[in-house]
Amino acid sequence: MELSFFEHMVDNQSVKVICWTLVHSVWIGVLAAALAGCVLVATQKSSSGLRYNLLATCLVLFTLASGYVFYLESDTTPSFTGARSEFVFYQNTRAEVLAFHTLADDRDVIAQISNAIDHFSGWIVLIWVIFFVTKCIHLAGGLLYVEKIRKTRVLPVDAHWQALAQKLGQKIGITKTVRVSQSGIVKIPVTIGHFKPVILVPLGLILQLSSGQVETILLHELAHIRRRDYLVNLLQSLLETIFFFNPGVLWLSALIREQREICCDDIVLANTSFKTNYLEALLSFQTYDEQKGTPAMALSLRSNQLANRLKRIIYQKNKPISIMEKIVLLAGLLVISGFGYVSVTSQNDQENGFHNRIEKKVIGIEKQKVAKNEIIGHKEILNRETEVNQVMEIVEKMTKEVSVHAPDTIYKFKTIRFDHSNEDRANRTMTVKDSEDNLYDLEIVNSKLVALKINGSAIPETDLPKYTGLLSQVDQAWNDSQSSKQQFKKEQLSKSAAERQEYLNSLKASSKDVMDQKDRNWAKDNTNSNKNVNDWSKDREGFRKKDTKPLAVPNTTGVKQMPPKQDISADQARVRGVINELVNERVIANPQEIEWFGLSDDELIVNGKKQPAELQNRLKLQYNIRPGHGLYFGPVRMNGTGVFLDLEDLK
C-alpha cells in the first residue's frame, strides 16, 4: 500500500529518486570495496601515506558515483514499465538483481521487481529516514560530548609539557598553537578541534608514564592535528551516517581509520629514537581500554587493530588482506560480473531459452554459496584463534623486550661493565649495553662464552655459538675504549707536565731576581758583621784563647735558595674524601674509574657529567668550597680557580 502521509511530506518522485539511489549505492559500494582490496594487495610494501591516500580516493569515488547516480535518477526518473527501460544501464542492473534471486519465465519479472521497488519506495525511504535520524542524533551526541570534555574538569599541564608540545609541533610542521590539558573525564589521550586544536590527556597520566612515553603520545596526537584528521573523521562519520546499511562503505571506512592510525605511528617512529617507549605506551593504554572501554572519538585500540599495529612496528610489514576478506571481495566481484553476464546474454538469447540459462546460473550460485559458507565458517574460527595467539605472542614478547639483535648484527656499545674485575680476561662476567639500550649479560670461562642473557632472557646453550661474534665485538670495543682512554690520559699528563714545567720555570725566573737581591744585601751585612767580630776578638784576646778556632761565617754570596716545598697533605685528603663520597653515592663504581672531577661553588662535574645540585651543595659545605676557590682533580675540562691536583700528587 502507499504511504499517503509520507507522500504529503515528500514528493513521490523525490522518494523514488532517493530509494533508487540507495539501492544502486549497494553495488557501487561493493565495487569500491573491491577496488580497495586491490589497493591493499598492490601496495603491500608501500608507505602508509600512499595506502591511506589511495583508500581515501576509493571512498571519494564512491561518494562521487553515488552523487552522479542521484543526479541521473533526478534527471531521468525511470519507472520501468516494460521489459526494457529508457535508461539501459539501470534496466540491466535491476534485471540482474532479479535473475539471481528468482526463476523467471520471461523478462516481465524484471519490470515486476522494478515496479515493486517503486511501489514500496515510500516504506524503504521511511525506514532509511528513521535509522538516518537515529544516526544523526548519535553523531550530534558525540559532538556535544566533545564540547563537554573540552570545558569540563579540565586542568592545565605543566609549562614544560606545553613547551614540549609546541616544540614537537613545530618539528613536524604545525604552525598553529596547540593547547595541552589534563581531563578528569577522558581515559585515554584524545585530540579535538580543527581550528583551535586541543590535546586532552587523562588526569595524572603524565606522572604515571615516563617522559619518553609521554613524548611519543604527544607526537601521535600532534600527527593527527598535522594531518587534519579531526575534520576528515567528521566528514567520514557523516558519510557513514548516510550509508549505514552499505557493508562495502563501512568496511572501506574502517580500513581508512586503521590506516590513519598507522600513518600517525610512522610519524611518531620517524621523530623518536626509542620505539620501545611508544610500544610500551600503546600496551599500557590497551590494558586500560580492555577494562574500561574507549571514549567516543578517542584513539581506537581494539585488540585486533593493536596486534596489527604492533606487528607492523616490530617487523616493518603492512598487514596483508585476510583470507575471509579476499573471499568476500571475490564473491562480490563474481556477483557483479554475473549481473553483467546475465544482462548481456538475456538481451541476445531467445525468449524460450531464457528460463533454462537463468535456472542453471541460480543453481550454480546456490551451490557456490553453500561451499563458501562452509569454508568461511571454518576459516573464521581458525582466523580468530590465530589472531588471539598472535596478540598473546606479541604481548609476551613486549614484556621481555621488543628490540633484540640478531646474532650476526654489528653492535654499537654504550657501556661495558665487569661484574668483578677485568684482570682475568679469560674468566669474567660482564654486563654490556648497546646503543638501543639492550642489556647483554655474558659469562666467559676459559675464553669461551658459556652463558648469555639478552634483556633478561637466557639464550639456549645450543645457540651460544651463534653469538661468538658478539663476544669478539665486545672485546674489540673494550680494547678500543682502553686504548682511547690511555691515549687521552697520556696526552693529558703530557699537557699537565708541560704546563707544570712552564709554571716552575716562570717561578724560578721570578724568584731568581729576588734571591740575588737578598744575597747582595746579606753579603753587605755579613761584611759589616765580620768587621765587628774582629774588633771584639781583639779587645777580648784572653777570652779567645780558650777557643782558638775562629768562628765560621758562612759565605752565601751567589748561592741560590729555593722556596720550601708547599704542604699539600690537606688538599690530598680533601680530594680523596671527595672520591670516596662519589663511590658511596654510586657516581663511580670504584676509585679507579675516576678520571677527573671539578667541585666549584656552583657545580660538580665528574668525568664530564654534571652531578645533581643536592650532592654538589653537600660536598661544597663538607670540603669548604668557597666562591673562586674550588677543588679540581685530574685533567679537568672546565674553567675555575682554586686547588688543582692530579694523579701524581696523590702518590
Side-chain angles (χ1 to χ4, degrees), residues 74-92:
S74 302
D75 188 52
T76 58
T77 318
S79 60
F80 295 91
T81 57
R84 298 187 57 86
S85 171
E86 295 176 355
F87 195 174
V88 177
F89 177 79
Y90 294 144
Q91 182 269 334
N92 290 340

Side-chain angles (χ1 to χ4, degrees), residues 46-59:
S46 301
S47 64
S48 58
L50 176 61
R51 288 163 65 91
Y52 176 86
N53 292 334
L54 292 176
L55 291 175
T57 302
C58 293
L59 191 59

Side-chain angles (χ1 to χ4, degrees), residues 73-138:
E73 287 285 352
S74 302
D75 188 52
T76 58
T77 318
S79 60
F80 295 91
T81 57
R84 298 187 57 86
S85 171
E86 295 176 355
F87 195 174
V88 177
F89 177 79
Y90 294 144
Q91 182 269 334
N92 290 340
T93 303
R94 297 172 189 178
E96 289 158 5
V97 173
L98 176 65
F100 270 87
H101 292 280
T102 184
L103 297 176
D105 293 327
D106 51 45
R107 287 203 222 165
D108 290 341
V109 177
I110 300 174
Q112 294 175 10
I113 294 295
S114 178
N115 290 332
I117 294 177
D118 287 336
H119 183 75
F120 292 103
S121 59
W123 284 103
I124 295 174
V125 174
L126 177 61
I127 294 173
W128 174 82
V129 167
I130 293 173
F131 281 92
F132 175 75
V133 171
T134 304
K135 292 286 184 178
C136 287
I137 294 174
H138 183 269

